Amino acid sequence: MTDISDLIEPLIAFRRDIHAHPELGFAEHRTAGRIAEQLRALGLEVHEGIGRTGVVGVLRNGTSGRSIGLRADMDALPIQEQTNLPYASTTPGTFHGCGHDGHVAMLLGAAQHLTRSRNFDGTVNFFFQPAEEGHGGAREMVNEGLFDRFPCDRVFGLHNWPDLPAGTIATRPGPIMGAADKFEIILEGRGGHAAIPQDTPDAIQAAAAMVQQLNAIISRRIAATASAVLSITQIHGGHTHNVIPAEVRVSGTVRTFDPAVQDRIEASIREIAAGIGIANGVTATVDYQRYYPATINDAEAAQEAFDAAATVGNAVISPDPAFTSEDFAFMLQACQGAYIWLGQAKADGGTPLHNPHYDFNDDVLALGIKLHVALAERHLAR
């Protein structure tokens, strides 16, 4: 690959500017505008407002009808940054705590290099996606005809991964990230005096039983050979010491890889809620939402990603998927492709994603650019 060292310092400055001005999902107006400006300066065909705030840059070369999509997410998290960096967030309560600023910089770097090198035959579509953090920006782009307007033989997305050392790139065929569901169970009694519990259906008692039984679903209703996580993350009820509350809310998340397991868990939650409602004389209402499906890599695309990664770094096949979720899953449901982890941990370890002290490791910018370029040049080889 032609030397890309001249691209790195300007891209670090660009990345840190985005870091200092983070924007939440579907509000990435400044970020999207800066990206579009950079792509136009390269002479790319630029499309804005796809999936509300998404940006697509199109680069064509040669005569081939082959095409590839490369995706970076743009949004920040609703977290207060605690890094004290000179380029720390200037927006209170908003923070690039997942490295999407680095993803944007790496994909822009790939666009810059491919524009000048032209060592491919076909079309490269650069997808800058909004709202990955729980709002389904990829789904919005797909529903607006992303792959109809910008056809792709393959689509690839990567994410920095603090669990892997810098220089290592990992992927795997099949599931690589989990489906993410969320649930809320509302337990409603009548409310009453705490000194007269016999006259008041106890939603607190029902909630306590609910937590115990929900936490037994994985161990007692799901096969030991399956993989799943159920976590209770919120319990809300009551406002004073001498009142049995009329309502208690129990919330949590479910992570799975197999839709059959996902179905079984949802059905179990509903059965348990109904039974506890009857046993405790309260009404139990379940709101269960499947907001991100499992991220499933196409086997051939995963091999293609591994082969490309092996030309630029230490490529490995990950033995296990992660239970974290990723809305790139929606793109993989619409187009063959693969998701890739780019190691970014330094020798002394690394701060985890979604931590208020996290910062993207600029030392892996060059590797991320090279990986994107290798994916494009390999799939669109002359």
Side-chain angles (χ1 to χ4, degrees):
M1 180 185 293
T2 307
D3 183 42
I4 61 168
S5 58
D6 62 309
L7 302 178
I8 303 305
E9 287 304 318
L11 285 169
I12 289 175
F14 185 91
R15 198 279 292 183
R16 293 180 178 182
D17 174 75
I18 293 176
H19 187 98
H21 300 90
E23 296 170 304
L24 298 176
F26 296 128
E28 308 95 337
H29 302 292
R30 181 184 185 275
T31 304
R34 291 222 59 201
I35 291 168
E37 179 183 67
Q38 293 281 317
L39 295 175
R40 286 196 180 93
L42 295 172
L44 270 65
E45 176 186 312
V46 179
H47 302 262
E48 298 180 80
I50 300 172
R52 295 162 64 173
T53 47
V55 179
V56 175
V58 181
L59 176 62
R60 298 182 179 88
N61 191 62
T63 59
S64 168
R66 292 171 295 160
S67 57
I68 188 173
L70 302 172
R71 171 269 205 172
D73 35 16
M74 304 186 294
D75 57 323
L77 286 160
I79 297 175
Q80 182 64 43
E81 181 170 0
Q82 298 177 24
T83 64
N84 295 317
L85 291 165
Y87 50 89
S89 172
T90 58
T91 306
T94 306
F95 164 49
H96 268 297
C98 202
H100 297 184
D101 48 347
H103 301 168
V104 166
M106 290 187 290
L107 190 55
L108 276 177
Q112 292 169 355
H113 178 73
L114 288 166
T115 298
R116 69 187 184 186
S117 68
R118 303 277 174 168
N119 186 29
F120 67 94
D121 186 11
T123 300
V124 184
N125 297 304
F126 301 94
F127 298 146
F128 293 89
Q129 180 214 304
E132 188 279 326
E133 297 290 355
H135 298 291
R139 177 177 51 213
E140 291 281 328
M141 295 185 83
V142 171
N143 288 346
E144 289 187 17
L146 181 70
F147 293 110
D148 296 324
R149 297 177 62 182
F150 312 100
C152 297
D153 309 325
R154 292 275 197 275
V155 64
F156 295 97
L158 64 82
H159 203 295
N160 76 93
W161 209 243
D163 291 342
L164 293 171
T168 297
I169 302 165
T171 191
R172 69 190 313 275
I176 188 168
M177 302 281 270
D181 303 347
K182 59 184 177 181
F183 62 86
E184 181 180 66
I185 303 167
I186 302 174
L187 301 164
E188 295 179 278
R190 288 196 307 270
H193 202 293
I196 317 173
Q198 70 272 17
D199 293 341
T200 305
D202 194 339
I204 290 280
Q205 177 68 25
M210 179 78 67
V211 170
Q212 286 187 316
Q213 292 199 33
L214 292 180
N215 280 329
I217 288 176
I218 303 302
S219 63
R220 287 294 175 263
R221 298 198 181 202
I222 303 302
T225 53
S227 296
V229 170
L230 186 155
S231 293
I232 307 297
T233 55
Q234 297 182 73
I235 301 176
H236 298 287
H239 60 278
T240 189
H241 77 284
N242 60 351
V243 175
I244 295 174
E247 179 181 292
V248 178
R249 293 171 180 257
V250 178
S251 303
T253 187
V254 172
R255 304 300 172 102
T256 55
F257 301 108
D258 182 343
V261 173
Q262 187 180 31
D263 291 343
R264 174 69 167 153
I265 292 174
E266 179 179 354
S268 297
I269 290 173
R270 294 186 183 279
E271 290 169 5
I272 288 169
I276 285 177
I278 293 170
N280 290 272
V282 301
T283 300
T285 305
V286 178
D287 178 20
Y288 193 100
Q289 298 180 31
R290 304 185 182 196
Y291 64 96
Y292 283 179
T295 306
I296 310 294
N297 284 348
D298 174 79
E300 291 183 4
Q303 185 62 52
E304 191 173 323
F306 176 85
D307 293 341
T311 67
V312 297
N314 173 34
V316 299
I317 297 294
S318 178
D320 300 302
F323 276 105
T324 46
S325 62
E326 166 61 75
D327 81 338
F328 187 65
F330 293 109
M331 291 194 181
L332 292 182
Q333 287 182 336
C335 179
Q336 286 186 332
Y339 190 68
I340 307 163
W341 292 325
L342 178 73
Q344 79 140 25
K346 299 179 180 180
D348 58 352
T351 304
L353 302 172
H354 293 216
N355 183 290
H357 298 282
Y358 168 87
D359 185 38
F360 178 83
N361 181 3
D362 286 324
D363 291 343
V364 303
L365 266 176
L367 182 59
I369 294 169
K370 291 176 181 178
L371 176 57
H372 280 117
V373 170
L375 289 165
E377 291 184 346
R378 188 174 194 86
H379 189 74
L380 303 177
R382 292 180 180 279

